[in-house]
């Protein structure tokens, strides 16, 4: 029997069902990736760093792993443990590219089966899918599909399907050894169940400086972050989560931890740092550890802010030189590889401390391999995939979001809906530059915009556009949209929980700007969102002593007290004089109109309109005084698509017996 050489490449796990995850390398010799763990073989031997028998085809790596199946056997297995067991009944797909070193005409006489197993080693439950080679001496791609119904309840609940088995020529006998080469096993991590993300949780922000800034604020300015964290933990028991800092805001180089095991390993010396400005003192790195411990002990989930740009982008000149030297010396100029390794060291430490998730900022400007020049979109996306994969492997149970790409509400023609005015006199310019605060701005929509996020980043419309963080438009559109569904799905595949992130003041993270929310409005935002199953975070600020600003304490205390008794929120009313671009509330004679505080939107209306107040009932009269339409106990999404175009008089009735009249134009 002729010798059979099979090279297996690109084994993919695609977690499908309602979502697909970005693929990443789990195992590869050349890049030293071992994010799944080889354990053993059956009826054969497994070795690494073997010469690739054919680098001219799809796999150009110079080395790969090799499995030699024993002679006179009818099977061959190599086993890998999965970092994160499969515990959800979803659709999984494994794809492979394989090479057989026999002529196509001989395939029917040789062991030509290739099997993939997903197995629970505790219960013994498994499912396998078999394919056969159809061509020889050429690469061939396979797709192994596992349906949700393939997995048993026992297998999913008893630790999950925790092992990947690769079966080679199973059930087919050979009288000689058979050699297989295995390389580039790829996969994805099952999505964290949305119930375990931030569902129904309201939270706050605790901004801690990092790197050398942490030393400055603690040692020279007297900031007491421990007291500030304990104050939040003790004062707001209903608060479900906190976003604090892995890196400084907008500074990827400044981490709140000092010791990085990966840097130590690369540089070959315990305590090595890329540059002293990047890290706090050893004494001050204990602060973030203690802060996380305080929040965890109070039952709050801890999310860390991490900036993802290159450390050289905003470091000092000497810091940028230090980083670039580190990249050149230890990573042959590969900035992406250096940054991945650097972040992984800190993520592993944070995982041990008990961090629940990460909020990755500037992900649209993710550090690419600048030593190779400008990367194209595909390579940049691939690097983002690899970065998220690293996080998933270093922190298998972490929930993450990436601040990349925003979405805004549009009308039925696809045009952006714009706010014309907030109806607030003398509103301070939110960016501090005196920009017109009433300039038209878009309305943010919480949408899953990428395949990586478990919850939406939640950033509002940029403050610099003149949009206040407590915009009435968010209440009418953004919050209402969350109430309609707390889940958004990216490309019909990846689910993300809708999470809204709101500065409590006119600027992010600065106690010197104007406070924008009042007690009732803050609670109304949070109550409506969490009742719907979504999540909201208020970006409260840290005052000059490391504790929360006093005026914000009043708001947070009120919210906590209201949540504790599950109080009803106040009813939203659109501010007087606030309206969208192109929207007009038509006036009628003062002897007919009793109160202008009720608003109709949109107006003119094509099919559906809503009111800004709850009403008992309403009636539309045409211009001849005839009753055209009635509705009861409804003030949102009132469908008048069947009415003829024209001007109508709307009469609404309140619980207290009052009546109110407005004109409505049907297009």
């Amino acid at each position: 029997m002729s010798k059979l050489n099979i090279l297996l490449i690109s084994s993919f796990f695609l977690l499908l069902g309602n979502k697909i995850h970005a693929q990443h390398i789990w195992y590869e010799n050349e890049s030293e990736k071992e994010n799944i763990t080889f354990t053993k073989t059956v009826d054969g031997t497994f070795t690494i760093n073997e010469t690739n028998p054919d680098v001219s085809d799809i796999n150009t790596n110079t080395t790969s792993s090799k499995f030699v199946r024993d002679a006179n056997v009818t099977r061959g297995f190599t086993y890998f443990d999965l970092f994160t067991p499969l515990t959800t009944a979803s659709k999984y797909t494994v794809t492979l590219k394989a090479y057989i070193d026999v002529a196509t005409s001989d395939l029917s006489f040789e062991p030509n089966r290739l099997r993939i197993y997903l197995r629970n080693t505790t219960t013994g439950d498994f499912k396998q899918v078999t394919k056969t080679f159809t061509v020889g001496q050429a690469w061939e791609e396979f797709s192994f599909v596992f349906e949700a119904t393939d997995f048993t309840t026992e297998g999913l609940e008893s630790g999950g399907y925790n092992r990947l088995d690769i079966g080679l020529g199973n059930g087919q006998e050979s009288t000689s050894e058979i050699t297989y080469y295995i390389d580039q096993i790829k996969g994805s991590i099952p999505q964290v169940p949305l119930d375990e993300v931030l569902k129904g949780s309201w939270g706050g922000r605790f901004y801690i400086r990092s790197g050398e800034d942490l030393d400055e604020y603690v040692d020279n300015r007297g900031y007491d972050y421990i007291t500030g964290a304990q104050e939040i933990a003790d004062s707001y028991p209903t608060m479900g989560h906190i976003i604090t800092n892995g890196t400084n805001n907008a500074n990827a180089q400044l981490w709140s931890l000092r010791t990085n095991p990966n840097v130590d390993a690369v540089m070959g010396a315990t305590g090595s740092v890329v540059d002293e400005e990047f890290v706090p003192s050893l004494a001050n790195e204990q602060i973030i550890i203690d802060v996380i411990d305080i929040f965890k002990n109070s039952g709050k989930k801890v999310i860390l802010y991490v900036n993802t740009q290159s450390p050289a982008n905003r470091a000092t000149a000497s810091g940028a030189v230090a980083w670039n030297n580190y990249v050149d010396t230890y990573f042959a100029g590969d900035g992406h590889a250096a940054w991945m390794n650097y972040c992984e060291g800190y993520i592993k430490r944070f995982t041990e401390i008990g961090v629940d998730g990460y909020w990755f900022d500037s992900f649209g400007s993710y550090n690419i391999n600048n030593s190779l020049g400008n990367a194209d979109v595909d390579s940049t996306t691939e690097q983002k995939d690899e970065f998220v994969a690293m996080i998933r492997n270093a922190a298998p149970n972490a929930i993450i979001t990436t601040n990349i790409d925003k979405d805004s509400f549009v009308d039925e023609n696809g045009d952006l809906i714009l706010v014309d005015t907030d109806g607030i006199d003398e509103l301070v310019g939110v960016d501090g530059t005196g920009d017109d605060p009433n300039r038209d701005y878009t309305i943010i929509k919480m949408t899953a915009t990428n395949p990586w996020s478990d919850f939406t980043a939640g950033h509002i419309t940029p403050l610099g556009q003149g949009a206040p963080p407590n915009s009435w438009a968010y209440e009418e559109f953004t919050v209402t949209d969350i109430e309609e569904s707390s889940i958004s799905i990216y490309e019909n595949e990846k689910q993300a929980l809708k999470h809204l992130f709101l500065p409590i003041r006119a600027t992010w993270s600065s106690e010197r700007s104007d406070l924008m929310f009042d007690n009732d409005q803050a609670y109304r935002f949070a109550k409506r969102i969490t009742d719907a199953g979504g999540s909201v975070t208020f970006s409260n600020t840290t005052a000059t002593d490391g504790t929360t600003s006093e005026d914000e304490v009043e708001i947070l205390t009120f919210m906590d007290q209201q949540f504790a008794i599950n109080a009803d929120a106040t009813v939203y009313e659109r501010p007087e004089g606030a309206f969208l671009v192109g929207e007009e509330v038509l006036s009628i004679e003062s002897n007919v109109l009793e109160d202008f505080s009720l608003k109709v939107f949109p107006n003119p209306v094509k099919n559906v309109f809503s009111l800004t107040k709850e009403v008992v009932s309403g009636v539309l009269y045409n211009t001849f005084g005839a009753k055209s339409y009635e509705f009861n106990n409804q003030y949102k999404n009132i469908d008048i698509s069947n009415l003829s175009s024209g001007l109508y008089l709307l009469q609404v009735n309140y619980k207290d017996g009052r009546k109110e009249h407005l004109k409505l134009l049907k297009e």
Side-chain angles (χ1 to χ4, degrees), residues 41-46 67-70 75-77:
T41 60
V42 172
D43 291 336
T45 57
F46 183 80
F67 176 75
V68 179
R69 197 180 83 161
D70 296 339
R75 63 177 183 174
F77 275 111

Side-chain angles (χ1 to χ4, degrees), residues 204-250:
R205 182 82 166 92
F206 189 61
Y207 179 22
I208 294 181
R209 302 281 174 163
S210 306
E212 64 176 2
D213 281 9
L214 183 58
D215 292 342
E216 167 65 21
Y217 276 73
V218 172
D219 299 338
N220 299 328
R221 303 191 188 189
Y223 273 51
D224 186 354
Y225 289 114
I226 302 300
T227 296
Q230 195 66 58
E231 175 189 66
I232 290 176
D234 294 341
S235 302
Y236 318 121
T238 67
M239 185 181 283
H241 65 274
I242 286 287
I243 298 180
T244 186
N245 286 69
T247 72
N248 227 43
N249 284 7

Side-chain angles (χ1 to χ4, degrees), residues 2-300:
S2 61
K3 186 175 181 179
L4 182 66
N5 294 281
I6 302 178
L7 180 57
L8 303 178
I9 179 174
S10 301
S11 178
F12 295 85
F13 280 100
L14 288 83
L15 178 55
L16 297 176
N18 292 326
K19 59 268 185 188
I20 293 178
H21 295 276
Q23 303 306 296
H24 55 271
I25 293 176
W26 274 2
Y27 181 90
E28 183 179 50
N29 277 179
E30 189 157 295
S31 62
E32 298 182 349
K33 299 288 185 184
E34 294 185 3
N35 294 322
I36 58 173
T37 306
F38 165 72
T39 56
K40 66 177 182 178
T41 60
V42 172
D43 291 336
T45 57
F46 183 80
T47 56
I48 63 173
N49 296 326
E50 299 285 349
T51 301
N52 180 352
D54 184 1
V55 297
S56 63
D57 212 318
I58 294 173
N59 180 22
T60 59
N61 288 347
T62 58
T63 62
S64 62
S65 298
K66 181 169 72 174
F67 176 75
V68 179
R69 197 180 83 161
D70 296 339
N72 300 310
V73 297
T74 59
R75 63 177 183 174
F77 275 111
T78 181
Y79 301 145
F80 293 88
D81 284 347
L82 302 180
F83 263 50
T84 303
L86 311 179
T87 58
T88 303
S90 298
K91 188 176 183 179
Y92 298 86
T93 300
V94 180
T95 59
L96 303 94
K97 295 175 183 177
Y99 178 94
I100 305 179
D101 192 18
V102 295
T104 301
S105 58
D106 294 332
L107 282 179
S108 61
F109 305 105
E110 303 288 358
N112 62 355
R113 293 176 186 160
L114 182 61
R115 285 179 179 170
I116 295 297
Y117 296 72
L118 295 176
R119 186 185 302 269
N120 182 316
T121 58
T122 299
T123 65
D125 290 274
F126 73 90
K127 176 64 180 179
Q128 61 89 5
V129 179
T130 301
K131 299 287 183 178
T132 57
F133 292 95
T134 59
V135 296
Q137 297 179 323
W139 290 101
E140 186 175 2
E141 186 169 22
F142 300 87
S143 181
F144 301 81
V145 178
F146 296 82
E147 300 293 343
T149 54
D150 290 337
F151 302 99
T152 67
T153 301
E154 292 77 10
L156 294 169
E157 292 181 349
S158 303
Y161 290 77
N162 61 328
R163 198 175 74 189
L164 160 68
D165 302 349
I166 301 178
L168 304 162
N170 291 37
Q172 297 174 311
E173 186 175 4
S174 64
T175 58
S176 62
E177 292 184 342
I178 304 175
T179 300
Y180 307 84
Y181 292 88
I182 301 172
D183 195 18
Q184 295 181 346
I185 300 176
K186 296 186 178 181
S188 61
I189 302 298
Q191 178 174 338
V192 178
L194 290 175
D195 285 350
E196 299 177 16
V197 183
L198 296 174
K199 184 177 181 180
S201 176
W202 78 281
R205 182 82 166 92
F206 189 61
Y207 179 22
I208 294 181
R209 302 281 174 163
S210 306
E212 64 176 2
D213 281 9
L214 183 58
D215 292 342
E216 167 65 21
Y217 276 73
V218 172
D219 299 338
N220 299 328
R221 303 191 188 189
Y223 273 51
D224 186 354
Y225 289 114
I226 302 300
T227 296
Q230 195 66 58
E231 175 189 66
I232 290 176
D234 294 341
S235 302
Y236 318 121
T238 67
M239 185 181 283
H241 65 274
I242 286 287
I243 298 180
T244 186
N245 286 69
T247 72
N248 227 43
N249 284 7
N251 292 99
Q253 79 278 12
L254 303 180
W255 286 79
S256 51
L257 289 175
R258 178 182 182 87
T259 306
N260 186 320
N262 283 15
V263 175
D264 291 348
V266 167
M267 291 185 167
T270 301
S272 299
V273 295
V274 176
D275 189 89
E276 282 293 333
E277 79 174 66
F278 290 7
V279 294
S281 67
L282 192 59
N284 285 336
E285 86 154 8
Q286 187 64 36
I287 291 173
I288 189 64
I289 298 172
D290 291 342
V291 164
I292 292 170
D293 190 52
I294 288 170
F295 290 140
K296 293 290 292 182
N297 287 339
S298 69
K300 302 184 193 325

Side-chain angles (χ1 to χ4, degrees), residues 615-632:
V615 298
V616 173
S617 61
V619 182
L620 280 172
Y621 297 92
N622 64 21
T623 54
F624 299 100
K627 186 183 297 185
S628 301
Y629 186 79
E630 290 184 85
F631 56 93
N632 294 293

Side-chain angles (χ1 to χ4, degrees), residues 435-472:
D435 284 355
D436 179 4
N438 291 326
R439 82 190 232 193
D440 303 341
Y441 60 86
T442 59
I443 308 169
I444 198 70
K445 184 178 184 181
M446 295 300 102
T447 304
T449 60
N450 61 79
W452 305 297
S453 296
D454 299 314
F455 58 103
T456 61
H459 253 195
I460 58 172
T461 301
L463 297 174
Q465 291 185 9
N470 63 334
S471 170
W472 62 270

